[in-house]
Amino acid sequence: MTTPAPPPYQPAHGLLTGRAAVVTAAAGAGIGGATARRLLEEGARVLVSDAHARRLKETEAHLTAEFGADRVAALPCDVTDETRVGALFDLAEQHHGRLDIVVNNAGLGGTADLADMTDEQWSTVLDVTLNGTFRCTRAALRRMRAAGTGGVVVNNASVLGWRAQRGQAHYAAAKAGVMALTRCAAMEAAGYGVRVNAVAPSLALHPHLARVTTPELLAELTSREAFGRPAEPWEVANVIVFLASGYSSYLTGEVLSVSSRHP
C-alpha cells in the first residue's frame, strides 16, 4: 500500500499581523519550529526559545534571514528553571513591546515500563512536560493580566493524555496534566480576556522523533492513523495558529485533537 502524500502547504492569510508571540522548544524541524514559522508567516513577531542553544542559534539565523531581525528574537531557556522562564518573558516584552501569544511546546518523552521506571525518569519527564508548561503559563498570565489587553496561551498536549500506550506512563500522566491545567487556567484567565487552549497531536513525524523511536514502532503507530500517514508538523502548527487567531475568539479551555487516528 502506498503511503498517501500530505496536502499542499497552506498559504498565509495575515491572521496574526501585529501580534507578538513566544514559542518554547522552537529549534529544529518539529512542531515548535513549524509553529514559529507559521506565526511569522501570519504576520506575528516571534521570540523563539529552546534548551538547545546551538540549534536555537541556527533556527534564529534561518528565521531572521527570511523574516527580518525586527520580527525574530531568540533566548535559550530551560523551562525547569523559574529564573530563566522569567527572563524569557521579560525579554518578550522588552523586545516586542507586548505579549499576545504564548505557545508552550516544550516537552520530554521516554519509554520505560512502570515497574522498571526510576523516580528520576518519572520526575524528569513531569518537570519538563507538565511543570514547565505550568511555569510558562503562570509567567504569561501574570504579564497578560497586568497589561489588560488580553492574549492567548496554546499548550501542546498529546493524545496520550487520553489513550494508553505501554511504556508511556510518565509522559501520558504529564500530558493529561497539561490538559487539566489548560482547562483550569482558562476558567481563571477568562476574567481578564485571556484564552487558554491546547492541541493534542497523535503522530507528527520529524527528524528528532525518527531518531528516538524504532522504525517498527513508527510503522505500528502510522498504521493506526486513518489517513495512513503521520501528520506533518506544519499541519499541527496550523491548528495552533487557528487557536491563536481571532477565528477562535469564543474558544477557551478546550483540547483539540490533531489526529486522524482511529481506536
Side-chain angles (χ1 to χ4, degrees), residues 23-250:
V23 184
T24 64
I31 292 171
T35 298
R37 174 171 292 278
R38 290 260 57 175
L39 294 175
L40 286 161
E41 289 171 346
E42 292 291 349
R45 291 164 286 163
V46 179
L47 171 58
V48 290
S49 179
D50 202 284
H52 300 277
R54 180 187 58 80
R55 290 194 306 177
L56 180 64
K57 187 174 182 179
E58 293 172 354
T59 297
E60 179 187 17
H62 291 316
L63 294 177
T64 298
E66 187 170 352
F67 297 101
D70 60 323
R71 293 183 56 204
V72 179
L75 183 70
C77 181
D78 177 352
V79 296
T80 68
D81 185 329
E82 171 61 17
T83 299
R84 297 181 71 177
V85 169
L88 174 67
F89 284 88
D90 287 345
L91 179 62
E93 291 186 313
Q94 292 165 12
H95 193 274
H96 295 310
R98 57 187 296 158
L99 178 64
D100 303 296
I101 300 162
V102 174
V103 180
N104 290 315
N105 179 65
L108 180 68
T111 301
D113 283 357
L114 190 61
D116 302 315
M117 190 179 295
T118 66
D119 282 8
E120 182 180 6
Q121 287 174 304
W122 174 271
S123 297
T124 299
V125 169
L126 267 289
D127 199 21
V128 174
T129 307
L130 177 56
N131 296 346
T133 301
F134 154 69
R135 291 184 190 98
C136 291
T137 300
R138 178 176 62 185
L141 294 185
R142 285 174 173 173
R143 289 160 174 80
M144 290 174 173
R145 181 177 61 184
T149 55
V152 180
V153 176
V154 184
N155 297 322
N156 191 357
S158 167
V159 293
L160 290 186
W162 292 311
R163 300 169 180 163
Q165 185 173 312
R166 178 172 180 167
Q168 296 296 309
H170 46 1
Y171 186 72
K175 290 301 190 180
V178 168
M179 294 177 176
L181 171 67
T182 297
R183 290 188 288 267
C184 292
M187 294 301 295
E188 297 174 10
Y192 42 93
V194 175
R195 298 186 295 107
V196 186
N197 292 292
V199 294
S202 55
L203 181 62
L205 189 58
H206 52 86
H208 178 68
L209 178 63
R211 286 195 298 269
V212 300
T213 308
T214 66
E216 293 76 18
L217 179 57
L218 280 177
E220 178 188 346
L221 295 175
T222 299
S223 71
R224 300 178 188 175
E225 298 292 322
F227 291 141
R229 65 172 179 85
E232 295 292 320
W234 61 262
E235 291 180 291
V236 180
N238 282 347
V239 181
I240 293 173
V241 166
F242 162 71
L243 291 174
S245 77
Y247 281 120
S248 60
S249 60
Y250 202 68

